[in-house]
Amino acid sequence: MVNINYWHMQIHPDDQSFSDDHVYSILEYKKIIGLGNWSKGEEQGTIGTFRNEMQVNDVVAIKNGSKLI
């Protein structure tokens, strides 16, 4: 049995314009998700959890504000 996790990622609110110009092509052609480094993410374990628990077939919803990418 395959265990699928569902993840929610948010484009950083200080640089949402990057999404309009680059994110679609990065996701489609490079097939990668980049994580920023922010102290709260490290403190809460969010970054480590994603890095260590993300698996093939997991579903990741990426949003820019309220818009689903």
Side-chain angles (χ1 to χ4, degrees):
M1 182 172 158
V2 176
N3 185 25
I4 298 175
N5 290 309
Y6 297 89
W7 303 88
H8 168 252
M9 308 293 274
Q10 180 70 40
I11 299 295
H12 192 277
D14 290 342
D15 195 10
Q16 290 181 355
S17 64
F18 180 86
S19 172
D20 296 334
D21 296 333
H22 304 287
V23 170
Y24 289 102
S25 67
I26 291 170
L27 292 172
E28 184 172 352
Y29 298 109
K30 300 291 185 181
K31 300 183 183 341
I32 62 170
I33 298 170
L35 297 175
N37 290 318
W38 74 104
S39 59
K40 190 173 180 180
E42 292 290 345
E43 291 168 11
Q44 295 175 342
T46 305
I47 295 171
T49 299
F50 185 79
R51 285 182 180 154
N52 297 322
E53 295 183 19
M54 174 71 173
Q55 295 184 19
V56 173
N57 295 322
D58 280 0
V59 176
V60 181
I62 299 177
K63 293 175 62 180
N64 185 8
S66 62
K67 181 180 173 186
L68 183 63
I69 297 174

